[in-house]
Amino acid sequence: MPASSADRIIALLSGPDQRGLVAKVATWIYEQGGNIIHADQHRDQEEGVFFQRVEWAVENGETEQQAKDFERFGDSIGMKTKVAIAGEKPSVAIFASKSDHCFHDLILRWKAGEYPCSIKLVISNHEKLRTASEQYGIPFHHIPVSKGNKPDAEAQQLALLNQEGIDLVIMARYMQILSSIFLDTFGKPVINIHHSFLPAFAGARPYHQAHHRGVKLIGATAHYATADLDQGPIIHQDVARISHRNNVSELIHKGRDLEKMVLARAVAWHLENRILVYENKTVVFD
Amino acid sequence: MPASSADRIIALLSGPDQRGLVAKVATWIYEQGGNIIHADQHRDQEEGVFFQRVEWAVENGETEQQAKDFERFGDSIGMKTKVAIAGEKPSVAIFASKSDHCFHDLILRWKAGEYPCSIKLVISNHEKLRTASEQYGIPFHHIPVSKGNKPDAEAQQLALLNQEGIDLVIMARYMQILSSIFLDTFGKPVINIHHSFLPAFAGARPYHQAHHRGVKLIGATAHYATADLDQGPIIHQDVARISHRNNVSELIHKGRDLEKMVLARAVAWHLENRILVYENKTVVFD
Amino acid sequence: MPASSADRIIALLSGPDQRGLVAKVATWIYEQGGNIIHADQHRDQEEGVFFQRVEWAVENGETEQQAKDFERFGDSIGMKTKVAIAGEKPSVAIFASKSDHCFHDLILRWKAGEYPCSIKLVISNHEKLRTASEQYGIPFHHIPVSKGNKPDAEAQQLALLNQEGIDLVIMARYMQILSSIFLDTFGKPVINIHHSFLPAFAGARPYHQAHHRGVKLIGATAHYATADLDQGPIIHQDVARISHRNNVSELIHKGRDLEKMVLARAVAWHLENRILVYENKTVVFD
Amino acid sequence: MPASSADRIIALLSGPDQRGLVAKVATWIYEQGGNIIHADQHRDQEEGVFFQRVEWAVENGETEQQAKDFERFGDSIGMKTKVAIAGEKPSVAIFASKSDHCFHDLILRWKAGEYPCSIKLVISNHEKLRTASEQYGIPFHHIPVSKGNKPDAEAQQLALLNQEGIDLVIMARYMQILSSIFLDTFGKPVINIHHSFLPAFAGARPYHQAHHRGVKLIGATAHYATADLDQGPIIHQDVARISHRNNVSELIHKGRDLEKMVLARAVAWHLENRILVYENKTVVFD
């Protein structure tokens, strides 16, 4: 179909720095009749890497064709290029366990129009969130996970993700570790929320660790899941002030608000194509 | 002189939005052999205005000539254009009264290498900061201001600013209002720090006002001074949490840290050519 | 019934300062066999007013009787005294309109066990939140409000509040002004959330005002509702950073998270009997 | 001398929790004719430990005698008790190296009247801050430290601290580790500022570590120095947001402001007798 004035393309480019990249990209878009709405670039001068996010209104030609053409153009100038069409809604799966604060928060933001995506299903190792999911109108799949059945459970999860064409998994306080086989097979991004200011208090029971050490701030970290637990590229972090008056259960309680806010923001940035990953770090064009 | 690889030009452009602006600017720079280090643009879609900050390494030709040429080029495409050469240090005057927290903070940052400028003189309506100024090696000028002598005092101030070629005045808790005649005659930017979260508690004794109203946060606002008191374009703001335990003198005390930090940041952004003013607001390319 | 070891009494006292108040209160409790768990006091030295929050475990005698006795004791030493028994759950009504972010947030916190109260009903001038309320299991009452019927509508509201024995009304973005007749007749606390950093941008459309003025932070303020619109005692405030990149709809969007968090915290403090009001200000024992 | 109405005593108590402690302390003070200005207590319910800070106006009797009497009284009820007379100014030594941001900040706050103490001397392993110290009127001692001479250097430092009756050492970015022998011999508090959010990035070059890991916040931690490096009781922490745009030198730069603010606050709390240490953690009565 021909471009409507509302059609927009968002491209993320990264690769070895070279003179004239900004001009080449801007000129290509100009020559197709596009109008740049936002453009943001970054140079990692230590590594000699160039990063760009550029968003333009398509005013001539077919949007899908132009998106494909730009991808080829990006490749031709040596840039790793990822292109999205604004308004195309990626399919999302939420993985949850018993905690429901991130689960409700994500779904309510989606229902309020904050997230350009389709939440297609909820997968949980417990039954607890079935009613809530179904009241929201989102199919719920209970896949129990035990020491013995993990490979089977992950195969069932992958089959569902594949069947629904899922583009993004959000671990909304899902209390199981996804194996590297799962991550490799899925092959698409998985966002996790860790309940500490990583790298401090990695591993289990971070609020207990924080209380024991007597820190004055607790944190939360949203990151892409990788095979190395708690070591993936960090997307967003925030902290909240605590005091000696707060016992562990109050830390957990305060932590919930942090986890919700940090995960919510990270998911928004991902869905708006604002994040580039390199060398286990992120560039967030916010 | 020919460009060294270290020479950089920073340009700020603003004007009516039009298709192809990013491409035109990037291509002009590319054709001169420049290498864009940073570029950031913004569109005010409600007003149809385009803003850009672009910084490039000059790799061919004469830096000063290229800066002048770019200014002409900017004009030719309908953009209001301001060009600076990195490393050229604007001359700064500090206006102060008796409070010395912002005064020391600015000068110590400058001495620590945070500010690319020359602090040429201190002007004060009191003698109190003479010794400190002179220990820092900065000429100190005492110009008393009273109800009767204000036009005379301002004329003396202007003569000093003119004589030293001052490009920027920083009001570091200077407790006098600069007249619109002063501001017009000086014709260059004046940054002020107001000790509240404007527009709340404009006018005198804002900490007393805040205490009386029982607010839970106090603020500070750095803005460009204009003839309308406390109404100029806001550059930066921040707040700090207070409680019922804090009496007015503690608010003043906590406010000092806010004032220092907010003014320090605003001055840094100004000196790094990161601020564009339009319609009594600022665009800060941070 | 006799006190179980879990029974706790929380008392809030305020009145003219006098020597020995802390000793008198602590000794009274000690003599009844109580064990003070928390005690926090404050003196407004300018006004000569003493404030105290004291919480103790009842280890002898009848809890309800001891609570009543303490109230009498407080009166006898000249203190305005309010006593609550921990675990007694006040009855709460939520007033809402069409916006649902604060509505969901409050109810989900309550369901997660964060709020020691009973949410008895939702009153709205629109039908929009009926299904959501009923899915949560909370009775929903649609009482339309128009220019002509306001006294009638408020009479219906008051009848419901009276019938359900409501102790606290929370205005969760309820877009109608409660009349002073309503407030006087109800005679119990009403908490409102205003979508700005009061006193800045009081009145309508504060995000538009903030955008127009070009401020760098937006805020939200939870306060007790009084007959003077936006002038009641402030309980809690917070701010979020914005930039020139944010248009009005993004300010509204960012503001929602602020409103939720600020209202949620204010309600928690109220329900935990942490707030004393005096001279249109609050003392919050957090 | 007899108490003037301005004389105040501040006591910090800690020990095994027992019923009636608040009453006993308040009654003791009342019976001496004292008037409690502030009192704050905390119970660590997991550990069964009681903590209290109480400040009262001495209205009868001799202040110094009353302070001593209270200490005995505290002991008699099984509490570890520390008593200070408001206005008595502890003697402070600043240890510094080449970095001067914390050095200037502490001294300027002291000169501005923020710190009730006497800064008696500066000790440095470099000559760099001699002129600045002397301009401030504070004796400067250059004690070089090398691998070979550390015991000698520390002996010289201890001799100076002893001779000047120093009550508190502040390590203002002093880039040497104080040995456990030094800490034991000195036997009084030493406050250090670590340039990370401990326990993350303990050890050397924390900003480089933070940059490498790609965190989104950097931090600073003020703590009491102990023989275990970076493991002492944490007094205060804060963080600042960073992005991919910030290289290591900008992190260092941003970190300076954090270090100043965090150290400044920790020193204030210490000097106001607001800190109790137990089990390698702090209770801060702020």
Side-chain angles (χ1 to χ4, degrees):
Chain A
M1 63 178 178
S4 90
S5 67
D7 274 5
R8 287 192 187 186
I9 295 174
I10 300 156
L12 291 167
L13 303 97
S14 60
D17 193 18
Q18 50 183 287
R19 212 168 61 76
L21 279 170
V22 178
K24 283 176 194 162
V25 169
T27 301
W28 190 93
I29 293 166
Y30 180 58
E31 287 172 350
Q32 313 298 312
N35 193 17
I36 293 176
I37 305 297
H38 297 296
D40 197 356
Q41 41 273 331
H42 171 61
R43 239 176 208 75
D44 185 321
Q45 291 189 286
E46 291 152 27
E47 308 285 344
V49 185
F50 174 88
F51 304 88
Q52 188 178 39
R53 180 185 188 273
V54 58
E55 179 174 348
W56 69 92
V58 178
E59 297 186 349
N60 277 305
E62 299 235 345
T63 302
E64 275 172 51
Q65 188 58 44
Q66 194 166 120
K68 274 179 205 153
D69 290 350
F70 187 85
E71 211 161 78
R72 265 192 301 274
F73 163 72
D75 289 348
S76 78
I77 58 170
M79 292 285 116
K80 198 176 139 193
T81 305
K82 214 181 114 191
V83 184
I85 297 172
E88 282 190 343
K89 297 188 171 179
S91 295
V92 171
I94 293 179
F95 279 41
S97 291
K98 289 180 177 171
S99 286
D100 62 359
H101 54 288
C102 288
F103 163 86
H104 285 298
D105 189 64
L106 291 169
I107 295 174
L108 287 168
R109 286 176 191 276
W110 174 57
K111 290 197 168 277
E114 289 187 27
Y115 286 158
C117 69
S118 300
I119 299 184
K120 288 285 181 68
L121 74 162
V122 172
I123 291 177
S124 179
N125 54 334
H126 294 281
E127 273 289 349
K128 193 185 160 205
L129 301 179
R130 177 180 297 279
T131 307
S133 287
E134 292 175 354
Q135 281 184 342
Y136 286 129
I138 304 172
F140 177 90
H141 300 267
H142 178 213
I143 303 180
V145 181
S146 62
K147 259 201 170 161
N149 84 334
K150 190 149 180 177
D152 278 3
E154 290 196 344
Q156 286 178 59
Q157 293 168 346
L158 285 165
L160 279 168
L161 301 183
N162 188 45
Q163 178 186 313
E164 296 291 333
I166 295 303
D167 301 297
L168 172 70
V169 165
I170 306 172
M171 297 171 75
R173 305 290 291 115
Y174 179 65
M175 303 306 280
Q176 296 288 328
I177 296 165
L178 298 176
S179 72
S180 59
I181 294 169
F182 177 96
L183 294 170
D184 288 348
T185 311
F186 178 49
K188 289 176 180 167
V190 174
I191 297 179
N192 185 36
I193 179 74
H194 184 81
H195 43 325
S196 87
F197 179 76
L198 289 174
F201 310 127
R205 294 167 48 103
Y207 295 121
H208 291 77
Q209 293 182 57
H211 188 253
H212 180 73
R213 180 63 186 91
V215 289
K216 301 300 187 184
L217 300 168
I218 53 168
T221 303
H223 63 92
Y224 288 114
T226 58
D228 285 336
L229 188 64
D230 300 337
Q231 298 294 322
I234 292 170
I235 303 169
H236 187 43
Q237 302 188 287
D238 209 350
V239 296
R241 194 159 294 283
I242 57 170
S243 83
H244 61 271
R245 296 201 177 279
N246 301 120
N247 58 28
V248 172
S249 77
E250 286 163 334
L251 300 199
I252 290 171
H253 192 103
K254 282 195 167 205
R256 274 188 219 154
D257 281 336
L258 270 180
E259 294 159 21
K260 281 192 296 192
M261 297 294 286
V262 169
L263 179 58
R265 178 70 59 90
V267 167
W269 283 334
H270 180 88
L271 292 174
E272 295 163 5
N273 299 292
R274 296 188 177 281
I275 311 177
L276 269 167
V277 174
Y278 81 115
E279 304 201 342
N280 207 41
K281 296 197 271 193
T282 61
V283 168
V284 178
F285 292 113
D286 63 335
Chain B
M1 59 175 182
S4 89
S5 68
D7 274 5
R8 288 193 187 185
I9 295 174
I10 300 155
L12 290 167
L13 302 99
S14 59
D17 193 19
Q18 51 185 284
R19 213 168 60 77
L21 279 170
V22 178
K24 282 176 194 162
V25 169
T27 301
W28 190 94
I29 293 166
Y30 180 59
E31 286 172 351
Q32 314 297 313
N35 192 17
I36 294 176
I37 305 297
H38 297 296
D40 198 355
Q41 40 273 331
H42 171 63
R43 241 177 204 75
D44 185 321
Q45 291 189 287
E46 290 152 28
E47 308 284 343
V49 186
F50 174 88
F51 306 88
Q52 188 178 39
R53 181 186 189 270
V54 58
E55 179 174 348
W56 68 93
V58 178
E59 298 186 348
N60 278 303
E62 299 237 343
T63 302
E64 275 172 52
Q65 189 56 46
Q66 193 166 119
K68 274 179 207 153
D69 290 350
F70 186 86
E71 211 160 80
R72 266 192 299 274
F73 162 72
D75 289 348
S76 78
I77 57 170
M79 294 285 114
K80 199 177 139 191
T81 305
K82 215 181 112 191
V83 184
I85 296 171
E88 282 190 344
K89 298 189 171 180
S91 294
V92 171
I94 292 178
F95 279 41
S97 291
K98 289 180 177 172
S99 286
D100 61 0
H101 53 288
C102 288
F103 163 86
H104 286 297
D105 189 64
L106 291 168
I107 295 173
L108 287 168
R109 286 176 191 277
W110 174 56
K111 291 197 168 274
E114 290 187 26
Y115 287 158
C117 70
S118 300
I119 299 183
K120 288 286 181 65
L121 75 162
V122 172
I123 292 177
S124 180
N125 54 335
H126 294 279
E127 274 288 352
K128 194 187 159 205
L129 300 178
R130 177 180 297 279
T131 308
S133 288
E134 292 175 354
Q135 281 183 342
Y136 286 128
I138 304 172
F140 178 90
H141 300 268
H142 179 212
I143 303 179
V145 181
S146 62
K147 259 202 169 160
N149 83 335
K150 189 150 181 175
D152 279 2
E154 289 197 343
Q156 287 177 61
Q157 293 168 346
L158 285 164
L160 278 167
L161 300 183
N162 189 44
Q163 178 187 311
E164 296 292 333
I166 295 302
D167 302 297
L168 171 70
V169 165
I170 306 173
M171 298 172 75
R173 306 289 290 117
Y174 178 65
M175 303 305 280
Q176 295 288 329
I177 296 165
L178 298 177
S179 73
S180 58
I181 294 168
F182 177 96
L183 293 170
D184 288 347
T185 311
F186 178 50
K188 288 175 183 170
V190 175
I191 296 178
N192 185 37
I193 178 74
H194 184 80
H195 43 326
S196 86
F197 179 77
L198 289 174
F201 310 128
R205 294 166 50 100
Y207 295 121
H208 290 76
Q209 293 182 58
H211 188 253
H212 179 73
R213 180 62 185 91
V215 289
K216 302 299 186 184
L217 301 168
I218 54 168
T221 304
H223 63 93
Y224 289 113
T226 59
D228 284 336
L229 188 64
D230 301 337
Q231 298 295 320
I234 292 170
I235 303 170
H236 188 43
Q237 304 187 286
D238 209 350
V239 296
R241 195 159 292 282
I242 56 169
S243 84
H244 59 272
R245 296 201 177 278
N246 302 120
N247 58 28
V248 171
S249 78
E250 286 163 333
L251 301 198
I252 290 170
H253 192 104
K254 283 196 167 204
R256 274 188 219 153
D257 281 335
L258 270 180
E259 294 159 20
K260 282 192 295 192
M261 295 295 287
V262 169
L263 180 58
R265 178 71 59 90
V267 167
W269 283 333
H270 180 89
L271 293 173
E272 295 162 6
N273 298 291
R274 297 187 176 280
I275 310 177
L276 269 166
V277 174
Y278 80 113
E279 302 201 346
N280 208 42
K281 295 197 272 192
T282 61
V283 168
V284 178
F285 291 113
D286 62 337
Chain C
M1 62 180 179
S4 90
S5 68
D7 274 5
R8 289 192 187 185
I9 295 174
I10 301 156
L12 290 167
L13 303 98
S14 60
D17 193 18
Q18 50 183 287
R19 213 168 60 77
L21 279 171
V22 177
K24 282 175 195 162
V25 169
T27 301
W28 190 94
I29 293 166
Y30 179 59
E31 287 172 350
Q32 313 298 313
N35 193 17
I36 293 176
I37 305 296
H38 299 295
D40 197 356
Q41 42 272 331
H42 172 61
R43 242 177 204 72
D44 185 322
Q45 291 189 285
E46 291 151 28
E47 308 285 344
V49 185
F50 174 88
F51 305 89
Q52 188 178 38
R53 180 185 189 272
V54 58
E55 179 175 348
W56 69 92
V58 179
E59 298 185 349
N60 279 303
E62 299 234 345
T63 302
E64 274 172 52
Q65 188 57 44
Q66 193 165 120
K68 274 179 206 152
D69 289 350
F70 187 86
E71 210 160 80
R72 265 192 300 273
F73 163 72
D75 289 348
S76 78
I77 57 171
M79 292 286 115
K80 198 177 141 193
T81 306
K82 213 182 114 191
V83 183
I85 296 172
E88 281 191 345
K89 297 188 171 182
S91 295
V92 171
I94 294 178
F95 278 41
S97 290
K98 289 180 177 172
S99 287
D100 61 0
H101 54 289
C102 288
F103 163 86
H104 285 299
D105 189 64
L106 291 169
I107 294 174
L108 287 168
R109 287 177 191 274
W110 174 56
K111 289 196 169 276
E114 290 187 27
Y115 287 158
C117 70
S118 300
I119 300 184
K120 288 284 181 68
L121 73 163
V122 172
I123 292 177
S124 180
N125 54 334
H126 294 280
E127 273 290 348
K128 194 186 160 205
L129 300 178
R130 178 180 295 280
T131 307
S133 287
E134 292 176 353
Q135 280 184 343
Y136 286 127
I138 304 171
F140 178 89
H141 300 267
H142 178 211
I143 303 180
V145 181
S146 63
K147 258 198 169 163
N149 84 335
K150 189 150 180 175
D152 279 2
E154 290 197 344
Q156 286 178 61
Q157 292 167 348
L158 285 164
L160 278 167
L161 300 182
N162 188 44
Q163 178 186 314
E164 295 292 332
I166 295 303
D167 301 297
L168 171 69
V169 165
I170 307 171
M171 298 172 75
R173 305 291 289 116
Y174 179 65
M175 304 305 280
Q176 296 288 329
I177 296 165
L178 298 176
S179 73
S180 59
I181 294 168
F182 177 96
L183 293 169
D184 289 347
T185 311
F186 178 49
K188 289 176 181 168
V190 175
I191 297 178
N192 185 36
I193 178 73
H194 183 81
H195 43 324
S196 87
F197 178 77
L198 289 174
F201 309 129
R205 292 166 51 100
Y207 295 121
H208 291 75
Q209 293 183 57
H211 188 253
H212 179 74
R213 181 62 185 91
V215 289
K216 302 299 187 184
L217 300 168
I218 54 168
T221 303
H223 63 92
Y224 288 113
T226 58
D228 285 337
L229 188 64
D230 301 337
Q231 298 294 320
I234 292 170
I235 304 169
H236 187 44
Q237 303 188 287
D238 208 351
V239 296
R241 195 158 292 283
I242 56 169
S243 84
H244 60 273
R245 297 200 175 279
N246 300 120
N247 58 29
V248 171
S249 77
E250 286 163 332
L251 301 198
I252 291 171
H253 192 104
K254 283 197 167 204
R256 273 189 221 153
D257 282 335
L258 270 180
E259 294 159 19
K260 281 192 298 193
M261 295 296 286
V262 169
L263 179 59
R265 178 71 58 92
V267 167
W269 284 333
H270 180 88
L271 292 174
E272 295 163 6
N273 298 291
R274 297 188 176 282
I275 310 177
L276 270 167
V277 174
Y278 80 113
E279 302 202 344
N280 209 41
K281 296 198 272 193
T282 62
V283 168
V284 179
F285 292 113
D286 63 335
Chain D
M1 61 179 181
S4 90
S5 68
D7 274 4
R8 288 191 187 186
I9 295 173
I10 300 156
L12 290 167
L13 303 98
S14 60
D17 193 19
Q18 51 184 285
R19 213 167 61 77
L21 280 171
V22 177
K24 282 176 195 162
V25 169
T27 301
W28 190 95
I29 293 167
Y30 179 60
E31 285 172 352
Q32 313 297 313
N35 193 17
I36 293 176
I37 305 296
H38 297 296
D40 198 356
Q41 41 273 331
H42 171 61
R43 239 175 207 77
D44 185 322
Q45 291 189 286
E46 290 151 28
E47 309 284 345
V49 185
F50 174 87
F51 305 88
Q52 188 178 38
R53 180 185 190 271
V54 58
E55 179 175 348
W56 68 93
V58 179
E59 298 186 348
N60 277 304
E62 299 238 343
T63 302
E64 274 170 54
Q65 188 57 45
Q66 193 166 121
K68 273 179 208 154
D69 291 348
F70 187 86
E71 211 160 78
R72 265 192 300 276
F73 162 73
D75 289 349
S76 77
I77 57 170
M79 293 284 114
K80 200 177 140 191
T81 306
K82 215 181 114 192
V83 183
I85 296 172
E88 282 190 344
K89 298 187 172 183
S91 295
V92 172
I94 293 179
F95 279 41
S97 290
K98 290 179 176 172
S99 285
D100 61 359
H101 54 289
C102 287
F103 163 86
H104 285 297
D105 189 64
L106 291 168
I107 295 173
L108 287 167
R109 286 176 191 276
W110 173 56
K111 291 197 168 276
E114 289 187 28
Y115 287 158
C117 70
S118 300
I119 299 183
K120 288 286 180 67
L121 74 161
V122 172
I123 291 177
S124 180
N125 55 333
H126 295 280
E127 274 289 350
K128 194 186 159 204
L129 301 179
R130 177 180 296 280
T131 307
S133 287
E134 291 175 355
Q135 280 184 343
Y136 286 127
I138 304 172
F140 177 90
H141 300 268
H142 178 210
I143 302 180
V145 180
S146 62
K147 260 200 168 162
N149 84 335
K150 189 150 180 174
D152 278 2
E154 290 196 344
Q156 285 179 61
Q157 293 168 346
L158 285 165
L160 279 168
L161 300 183
N162 188 44
Q163 178 186 312
E164 295 292 333
I166 296 301
D167 301 297
L168 171 70
V169 166
I170 307 173
M171 298 172 75
R173 306 289 291 116
Y174 179 64
M175 304 305 280
Q176 295 288 330
I177 296 165
L178 298 176
S179 73
S180 59
I181 292 168
F182 177 96
L183 293 170
D184 288 347
T185 311
F186 178 49
K188 287 175 182 170
V190 175
I191 297 178
N192 185 37
I193 177 74
H194 183 80
H195 43 326
S196 86
F197 178 76
L198 288 174
F201 311 127
R205 292 164 54 97
Y207 295 122
H208 291 77
Q209 293 183 57
H211 188 253
H212 179 72
R213 180 62 185 92
V215 289
K216 301 300 186 184
L217 301 168
I218 54 168
T221 303
H223 63 93
Y224 288 113
T226 58
D228 285 336
L229 187 64
D230 300 338
Q231 298 295 319
I234 292 170
I235 303 169
H236 188 42
Q237 304 189 286
D238 209 353
V239 296
R241 196 159 291 283
I242 56 169
S243 83
H244 59 273
R245 297 200 176 279
N246 301 119
N247 58 29
V248 171
S249 78
E250 286 163 334
L251 300 198
I252 290 170
H253 193 103
K254 283 196 167 203
R256 274 189 220 152
D257 282 335
L258 269 180
E259 294 159 21
K260 281 192 296 194
M261 297 294 286
V262 169
L263 180 58
R265 178 71 57 91
V267 167
W269 283 333
H270 180 89
L271 293 173
E272 294 162 7
N273 299 291
R274 297 187 177 281
I275 310 177
L276 269 166
V277 174
Y278 81 113
E279 302 202 344
N280 208 42
K281 296 197 273 191
T282 61
V283 168
V284 179
F285 292 113
D286 61 337

